[in-house]
Amino acid sequence: MAVIRHHVNLRAFNTFGIPVQALHYAELNEVAAFADIMQTDEYRLFPHLIIGGGSNILFTRDYEGLVIRNCLKGISIVSENEETVLVEAASGENWHQFVQWCIAQGFGGLENLSLIPGCVGASPMQNIGAYGVEIKDVFKSLTALDLENGKKRIFSKEECAFGYRESVFKTIYKNKYLITSVTFELQRHPIINISYGAIAEQLKTMGVLNPGISDVSKAVMSIRQSKLPDPLVTGNAGSFFKNPEVSLEKYAEILSQFPELVSYPLASGQYKLAAGWLIEHAGLKGYEKNGAAVHTRQALVLINTGTATGESVLALSTEIIEKVKNKYGVTLEREVNII
């Protein structure tokens, strides 16, 4: 039976460390308990918000409703053959710990996504990606509950409509479903992917000539730790902005003015620009205002220096968007959910 608490401080439940309060609060430890929560007045009469690790959310105010924290746990092997294995993980499992579990079993496919903060349930919502790998590359299906009637539904990869940091759960089904578990199709004979970013260089530094998935994971963790702040120490939500995609014409225009522009060609013919580079070269790296700041080592990350409110972080992001727009004619889009 789920217990409803009242006037709960959410500072410990969002990685920005913003000390807002939830009018009502419950933790979901079993899927069956959600039916009980749905019967409460707090659920029926108030708005409700489901959170996991709180790593992709910015609270700008107290939440005058019911916050349900997803604490569902469990990992199991659904099926396997000589080439692949289907692994199902409960949505409240810590993402990095789940990745490390898969690596320990010798299952490949997730190692490039090591040390990404958050829970398993958030991974398909925004199609998380890093170092040349996205969730859609290893995703099989997910199970979710309809927030209106509690009915279970299984979503295939096609039904999730994955895009760059996008899925149907951020568009037409936003705030419509509670993801309870995700099933991944992983490799029993892993194909190592070290072509993106500095992974190959980091492996050389580590003295690894014939890397396995554990080596790739360690390299990714080392790179991330060298550039990104630990949310347990410095409040942040990782990458705050998406890397913008522009047409060939717009790319050529910007490149003519800024020859050092960091970009990546896409199969669509468009170009993806490095948002961190745009922010840094707009003179904003390390910029601080009202307790919110642009991280000194990675301009894509906004941090809480200790005194920031959600409003001050949001205001800083708006200022960044305006300055980047004025300098490059490109509009940055926030990746973090604003509440």
Side-chain angles (χ1 to χ4, degrees), residues 84-131:
T84 62
V85 55
L86 295 184
V87 178
E88 182 178 22
S91 53
E93 286 283 349
N94 175 274
W95 173 257
H96 178 65
Q97 292 175 11
F98 170 61
V99 171
Q100 294 306 300
W101 182 91
C102 292
I103 291 171
Q105 315 309 309
F107 304 154
L110 297 176
E111 56 277 2
N112 292 49
L113 304 178
S114 297
L115 213 59
I116 293 178
C119 293
V120 166
S123 63
M125 289 182 69
Q126 63 188 71
N127 186 26
I128 63 171
Y131 300 102

Side-chain angles (χ1 to χ4, degrees), residues 81-85 106-109 186-192 213:
N81 57 39
E82 290 186 0
E83 299 299 324
T84 62
V85 55
F107 304 154
L186 304 178
Q187 306 156 358
R188 295 188 65 85
H189 306 288
I191 300 172
I192 301 300
I213 55 177

Side-chain angles (χ1 to χ4, degrees), residues 4 40 66 91 115 120 144 156 160 165 172 233 236 256 319 323 326 336:
I4 307 291
T40 64
L66 173 63
S91 53
L115 213 59
V120 166
S156 66
C160 290
R165 302 297 180 269
I172 61 174
V233 178
N236 74 94
S256 67
E319 187 174 349
K323 289 187 175 180
N326 291 336
V336 172

Side-chain angles (χ1 to χ4, degrees), residues 22-33:
L23 183 61
H24 309 295
Y25 173 87
E27 294 187 351
L28 182 68
N29 295 290
E30 297 179 5
V31 174

Side-chain angles (χ1 to χ4, degrees), residues 129-143:
Y131 300 102
V133 175
E134 290 182 315
I135 281 300
K136 66 177 180 60
D137 301 326
V138 291
F139 179 89
K140 182 65 176 179
S141 65
L142 66 79
T143 303

Side-chain angles (χ1 to χ4, degrees), residues 176-213:
K176 301 292 185 183
Y177 284 90
L178 162 64
I179 296 173
T180 57
S181 68
V182 186
T183 300
F184 303 89
E185 185 173 31
L186 304 178
Q187 306 156 358
R188 295 188 65 85
H189 306 288
I191 300 172
I192 301 300
N193 180 356
I194 59 172
S195 61
Y196 194 96
I199 298 180
E201 182 179 339
Q202 179 62 30
L203 287 167
K204 288 181 182 178
T205 300
M206 292 163 55
V208 178
L209 301 179
N210 187 27
I213 55 177

